[in-house]
Every structure is written in C-alpha cells, then in structure tokens.
Amino acid sequence: MRHVEVSLRPQTREPVLAVLDSERIDYTVVPADDDSEYDALVSFTLPKNAVEVVLDELEEAGLGEDDHTVIVTADTVISRKFGALKQRYTKTLDDERLARHELYAESEGLMSTLPVYVTLTLVSAIVATAGLLLDSAAVVVGSMVIAPLIGPALAASVGTVLNEHDLFWTGVTYQLLGVGIAIAGAATFAWLSKSLFLVPPGIDVVEIDEVSERVLPNLLSLFVAFGAGIAGVLSLSTGVSVALVGVMIAAALIPPAAAAGIAIAWGVPNAAVGSLILVFVNLLGVNITGLFTLWAMGYRPHIRAETGIARQLVRRRLVVFTIVILVLSTFLVGVTWASYERASLENDVTTEAEAVLDSPAYQDVSLVEVELFLEEGLLFEPAIRLEEGTLLEQPERIVITVEQPADDDHPELASELDDRISTEIGDDVTVHVRFVEYDTA
C-alpha cells in the first residue's frame, strides 16, 4: 500500500479532487498557509498496483512537477472505502508491479555513491580472488554478497524503457567501471599473492576447481545471467527485497572477473580470454533480460509522446545486445560441444573396456579408471588446451587402470584392449594398461 500526499497549486486543486471523487478514493484536504505557493495538501492511500493508474489520471487532469507529490509505503490502512478500492484491482503479476515513479526512484536508490561503489567492488573482487585461489566456494559466495552490481545493471534497463538517458548512461558507466575495477583488482591481488608466495610455488591455477569452471565456461553459464536479469527486474518492480537477487547477479560477474585476473597474473592468456568472454556474456545477458522483462511488464516513459522513442531504443539495444551475445557465445558453444565430445569418448572407451573385462578369463580383473592424454603426458582436455589454445584435440594416449589379485597375470589384456578400443574410436591412439595388484589378508 502507498500513501500519497500532493501539495496542489490553486489551478490544479479542483481537477485533481474531481478525479479522486470519480475514482471513489477516500482523501483529506488541508488548506495551505497563506504565504505558501500551494493552495492545499491532499492526502490519500492507494493499493500498490493502483498508484500508476491514478497518477496517470491526475497528470492528465493537470497535476505536474510544479505540484509537490510524495509517495511513501503504508503498512496498515483501516478503512471500509479503502477495502472496496482494493477489491477493484486484480492480482495478476502486472498489477503487483510498482508505479513507474517508484521504479525510477528505487533503481536510482540502488546506485551507491562512486567512492562506495568502487571500494565495495574492489573488496569483493579481492575476496573472490582469494576464494578462488583457496578453492573455497564459501569465500567466493561471501564475495558476491558485498558486490554492489545490481544497482547499475537494473538502472540501465530502467533508464532505457522510461527514456531516462541520464539514468541509462549512469548505469552503463558504473557497470563498465565495476567490471574493469574487478578485473584489475583481482589481477593485482593475484600477482601479489604469487610474488609474496602466499600460494604454493609452481601451482597450476587453471587446475583449481573453482578457477577451471570459470576459464572454461559452457553454454549453461549464460542461463545464469538470464535468470539473474529476470529475477533482478521482478524483485525491483514488485517491491521485493533485491538483496538476495543482487547476490545472483554478482555470481554471474565477480567470480569470472576474479578468474580473469588470476589468469592474467599467472600469464595464461587463453584462460584469461575464456574468463573475460564469460564476464561480458553474463553482463550482456543480465541487461538484455532485464530490458526485455521491464518492457514486457508494460513500463513506458512518463510522457506518452516518448513511448515511440523508447520502443525504438529498446528494439535497437535488444538487437545489438543479442548480436554481441551470439558472437561471444560461439566460444561457449565450442566449450559445451567439446565437453560433450570428451564425455562421449570417455563413455565409449569405458564401455569397450568393460566389455573386454566381462570375459570369463578376466573375472578377477576390475576397471578402476580411464584417462585420456595428449602428447608429452599432458592430461587430455578436449574443451581447450590452455597452453596452446587448441580446440577439440583428439587423445594420443589412453591409460586404462585395472585392479587384479597379486597372483594373477594377464599379459594379453593390454593388446586385447588396444585392438578393441582402436577399432571402436577409429583413431591412431596408443592404449596403455596400468595394473594395480592387491592381496587379500
């Protein structure tokens, strides 16, 4: 519920009161002081979903910015007339949304001052970098909580649909500044951690689980950004707390930015490129879904004549964002396909190895592990080989680990597995068999 107080000029008093009477809205009028530029103060209470409709009617009757309108949240209203007014409005999702005036104020209020925004973003990036290097999901989640990124992301979308250019450009500037600060801060902190030996020397940061999933993201990562954008807009436009949703938006941006900084500090350019692509794809994903959701919910500019301009802006930016996302997503598609190829290949090799071991001659032999390797003993990674940037490279060596009793001997198993697997996958690949022997006490 919203309580509205309007200080009316002499020329707008009667038209405004006439609208309130026609809408059967209960109101009170208090005459203004003789030395005031206003004639009277009128106050009334509305259901949240009625604010925009009533204010639009009042503006058509003459209410303008020369009058003084204040809208505040009302916790409780005891009135028979208000109950009847509330029942006149349906309970659909669109009717639960805030008025455009409140939406603008809420999105503007989510924007921190520049010093606070820069400081919180920098701290968040440093904490996320530490969490990635520690391989600690809890620390990474903590970094998302303090990231102030939801305000700029939503402000840019609100500024577009309401044709508020200042709000839009402020949101865009803050977003780009935040991403830049996060990446630079993460790279600096990671370099210091490496130089001061805060992490073990010689560590392969790309192999850390929390890092690897951000430097080699697949297409599913994009849907995290889409969900964050939709949830952010719905939480803002319906008056629900945006604190938790802000964590989701930060989850799409801060950890990838921190991973990019780590890759830069360790001098792994291909890993840095993968993380940077994920950052910007997620950033665009949040903005495109936020923009689309606001427009679908019916938000339009305050001045009706600007609706056509806003529609063109929305279409143009949706098209541009979509094209850029499609271009950047080719990397995600490649990684996703490569992951599928790797899983399929591992499954085929495992199936063939198990088929061989199902023979009665190997009833005491069990399969332990299947590993795929590139040349020089590097673990096979078909998604991308970060050292050289090769994509979808086929394995050159397959190592199959089996377990057997210490008193068993199966010298023919290696050649049998080699023939079976080479025939199945159709590649010139070397099959090695590693035997693990055990005794039973």
Side-chain angles (χ1 to χ4, degrees):
M1 295 171 291
R2 300 293 185 265
H3 185 69
V4 184
E5 292 187 349
V6 185
S7 298
L8 297 171
R9 295 167 293 155
Q11 62 267 36
T12 56
R13 173 174 176 168
E14 293 305 323
V16 166
L17 296 183
V19 171
L20 297 179
D21 288 332
S22 65
E23 291 292 331
R24 301 191 300 277
I25 297 174
D26 195 14
Y27 63 88
T28 58
V29 179
V30 178
D33 296 335
D34 293 337
D35 57 349
S36 174
E37 63 177 300
Y38 300 108
D39 183 71
L41 174 67
V42 59
S43 59
F44 51 93
T45 306
L46 296 172
K48 180 176 65 175
N49 51 352
V51 173
E52 186 169 346
V53 176
V54 173
L55 287 184
D56 284 346
E57 294 182 4
L58 294 179
E59 289 170 1
E60 291 180 0
L63 184 68
E65 293 185 359
D66 290 332
D67 300 295
H68 187 76
T69 305
V70 178
I71 304 174
V72 297
T73 301
D75 294 328
T76 305
V77 177
I78 303 174
S79 170
R80 184 178 294 107
K81 290 185 178 181
F82 181 80
L85 178 66
K86 190 174 182 179
Q87 292 177 0
R88 287 163 51 191
Y89 293 87
T90 58
K91 299 300 179 185
T92 63
L93 177 62
D94 286 342
D95 291 326
E96 289 296 320
R97 65 186 182 90
L98 298 178
R100 73 170 72 90
H101 311 80
E102 293 183 272
L103 180 72
Y104 179 88
E106 289 287 337
S107 60
E108 194 175 40
L110 288 174
M111 301 280 289
S112 306
T113 60
L114 188 59
V116 173
Y117 177 77
V118 170
T119 302
L120 287 178
T121 302
L122 183 59
V123 172
S124 175
I126 291 174
V127 173
T129 304
L132 293 179
L133 292 175
L134 291 170
D135 199 19
S136 172
V139 177
V140 175
V141 172
S143 71
M144 305 171 193
V145 176
I146 59 179
L149 300 179
I150 185 171
L154 298 181
S157 298
V158 172
T160 299
V161 298
L162 299 185
N163 199 30
E164 296 287 348
H165 298 292
D166 290 342
L167 184 62
F168 168 76
W169 286 114
T170 301
V172 170
T173 302
Y174 268 56
Q175 287 184 83
L176 295 178
L177 178 64
V179 169
I181 289 172
I183 295 172
T188 302
F189 179 75
W191 178 80
L192 289 174
S193 300
K194 177 183 178 182
S195 302
L196 298 176
F197 302 104
L198 299 179
V199 293
I203 185 175
D204 187 357
V205 292
V206 176
E207 294 300 321
I208 299 176
D209 290 339
E210 287 290 328
V211 176
S212 62
E213 66 185 54
R214 271 102 185 178
V215 299
L216 287 175
N218 62 28
L219 198 58
L220 291 177
S221 303
L222 183 58
F223 292 93
V224 175
F226 286 160
I230 295 173
V233 165
L234 289 179
S235 64
L236 175 67
S237 60
T238 56
V240 179
S241 174
V242 297
L244 294 179
V245 180
V247 175
M248 187 174 182
I249 290 180
L253 300 175
I254 290 297
I262 292 173
I264 293 172
W266 257 263
V268 189
N270 291 301
V273 170
S275 298
L276 289 174
I277 289 176
L278 179 60
V279 170
F280 287 104
V281 165
N282 286 347
L283 187 66
L284 291 170
V286 169
N287 281 269
I288 194 173
T289 51
L291 186 58
F292 179 81
T293 304
L294 281 172
W295 191 261
M297 292 181 69
Y299 283 106
R300 300 295 183 269
H302 177 67
I303 301 175
R304 291 189 178 182
E306 297 180 356
T307 300
I309 299 175
R311 183 181 293 109
Q312 292 179 359
L313 287 174
V314 170
R315 289 176 178 174
R316 187 183 309 153
R317 287 167 186 168
L318 285 177
V319 170
V320 172
F321 289 166
T322 301
I323 292 175
V324 177
I325 283 179
L326 289 176
V327 172
L328 294 178
S329 294
T330 55
F331 175 82
L332 304 184
V333 172
V335 173
T336 303
W337 177 251
S339 300
Y340 170 78
E341 288 287 304
R342 173 185 181 175
S344 297
L345 184 57
E346 287 184 347
N347 183 66
D348 291 342
V349 172
T350 301
T351 300
E352 296 303 320
E354 289 177 343
V356 172
L357 296 179
D358 283 341
S359 171
Y362 306 120
Q363 60 181 351
D364 294 331
V365 181
S366 59
L367 181 65
V368 176
E369 186 180 17
V370 172
E371 297 175 280
L372 310 177
F373 289 85
L374 293 170
E375 60 181 347
E376 299 177 359
L378 295 173
L379 182 62
F380 175 52
E381 177 58 75
I384 184 172
R385 189 172 166 188
L386 295 174
E387 291 81 0
E388 300 179 7
T390 54
L391 189 65
L392 293 172
E393 188 168 345
Q394 291 298 318
E396 295 165 353
R397 184 160 63 96
I398 297 177
V399 177
I400 300 175
T401 302
V402 297
E403 188 180 61
Q404 67 178 16
D407 55 353
D408 280 4
D409 187 19
H410 299 285
E412 74 286 356
L413 179 59
S415 60
E416 191 170 344
L417 286 172
D418 184 30
D419 294 340
R420 182 75 176 253
I421 292 172
S422 297
T423 301
E424 173 62 24
I425 66 176
D427 288 309
D428 185 14
V429 61
T430 302
V431 177
H432 293 182
V433 179
R434 179 190 298 122
F435 291 93
V436 177
E437 297 183 348
Y438 66 91
D439 284 325
T440 302

